[in-house]
Amino acid sequence: MLVLLPPSEGKAASGRGAPLKPESLSLPGLAAARETVLAELVDLCSGDEDKAREVLGLSEGLRGEVAKNAALRTAGARPAGEIYTGVLYDALDLASLDAPAKRRAAKSLLVFSGLWGAVRVTDRIPSYRCSMGVKLPGLGALSGHWRAPMAEVLPEAAGDGLVLDLRSAAYAAAWRPKGEVAGRTATVRVLHAPTRKVVSHFNKATKGRIVRSLLTAGTAPKDPAGLVEALRDLGYEVEAASARAGAAWALDVLVDEVH
């Protein structure tokens, strides 16, 4: 099972660990594309601060993120699972998983990123600010930059099992499973059961809980139908629309409480 996650907008501080070693990151087929984005981002943030803030969509209060990006090559690095914070990652709470569940997380979770393309939660990265929606001066839209290298690398990473796609739209634009891989891909939408509306906060929190439940239970369904069964066994109310051949399944998880 491969679980595709969005990153968090906010991130923990890099800390005082050893700096980034790009060659140590998972999915080495993305290395050249990563270096291109890293070089562009560091160059941008080492120059005109106001221009960098404008390109990155940062408010005055986030001015310090520009200096953080300028120092990416020398900043301390930590496991990506510690860098990413926010609602989904708080609910997932990787740090509190037992050892077997942590091993499953290291193997199955893949976090998408405007800067790195995609990383495992065990990959050591510095804290940064660069969303997939950014258009860097020398590259244009990052989702477009990542499309070709992702298409080369991700089908192999997906293996022959389930792909559980929990990414937001901006990150999904960087790689859309196709053909046979799409047929064993499931997307998830979380709805407030009484109103049938998506509410952003508990949508993210529930997705984090779903991933945690699967990791803790040691459940690794092979296809979307197996995922529906597994989630129902774990106590989730799930409605599934099986897709036509070569298209992803769409799953709705219904939640009564908004929290």
Side-chain angles (χ1 to χ4, degrees):
M1 179 175 66
L2 185 68
V3 182
L4 311 181
L5 297 174
S8 57
E9 196 69 23
K11 297 170 184 70
S14 292
R16 298 183 179 180
L20 170 72
K21 295 181 179 179
E23 69 278 6
S24 72
L25 298 178
S26 302
L27 307 179
L30 300 179
R34 285 173 178 147
E35 176 56 33
T36 300
V37 180
L38 180 60
E40 288 280 345
L41 183 61
V42 169
D43 183 64
L44 171 70
C45 293
S46 298
D48 186 320
E49 188 177 86
D50 289 331
K51 177 183 177 182
R53 283 202 304 116
E54 181 181 356
V55 170
L56 297 174
L58 301 177
S59 66
E60 175 66 30
L62 293 173
R63 183 176 288 272
E65 300 293 291
V66 175
K68 178 195 291 186
N69 284 345
L72 281 170
R73 293 191 186 275
T74 56
R78 297 167 60 186
E82 297 177 12
I83 291 289
Y84 294 114
T85 59
V87 175
L88 187 154
Y89 291 91
D90 286 347
L92 174 53
D93 195 8
L94 287 167
S96 69
L97 292 173
D98 62 23
K102 285 181 178 176
R103 288 194 292 270
R104 295 180 198 112
K107 183 178 179 180
S108 63
L109 304 188
L110 201 60
V111 184
F112 274 61
S113 162
L115 174 53
W116 314 114
V119 292
R120 303 282 185 185
V121 293
T122 50
D123 285 335
R124 297 181 64 84
I125 59 173
S127 184
Y128 67 96
R129 193 75 172 227
C130 185
S131 69
M132 190 65 79
V134 164
K135 296 180 179 180
L136 291 176
L139 290 179
L142 287 176
S143 58
H145 169 76
W146 285 112
R147 224 164 266 140
M150 289 284 195
E152 290 289 329
V153 171
L154 267 295
E156 181 179 353
D160 59 2
L162 170 73
V163 177
L164 174 54
D165 190 351
L166 302 179
R167 298 172 296 166
S168 55
Y171 291 90
W175 180 62
R176 299 187 188 280
K178 295 181 179 179
E180 185 269 335
V181 179
R184 48 187 167 84
T185 296
T187 62
V188 172
R189 184 175 62 163
V190 182
L191 302 180
H192 184 214
T195 64
R196 292 296 174 124
K197 292 182 179 179
V198 174
V199 181
S200 179
H201 177 88
F202 88 97
N203 175 56
K204 294 176 183 177
T206 302
K207 286 179 177 178
R209 294 186 190 105
I210 285 172
V211 176
R212 183 180 177 86
S213 296
L214 292 169
L215 294 173
T216 301
T219 302
K222 295 294 186 182
D223 54 35
L227 175 63
V228 172
E229 183 178 350
L231 290 178
R232 286 173 177 165
D233 287 345
L234 289 168
Y236 293 93
E237 183 179 355
V238 183
E239 294 179 351
S242 58
R244 64 185 186 279
W249 285 43
L251 274 57
D252 285 342
V253 175
L254 307 180
V255 180
D256 288 328
E257 297 182 7
V258 180
H259 58 85

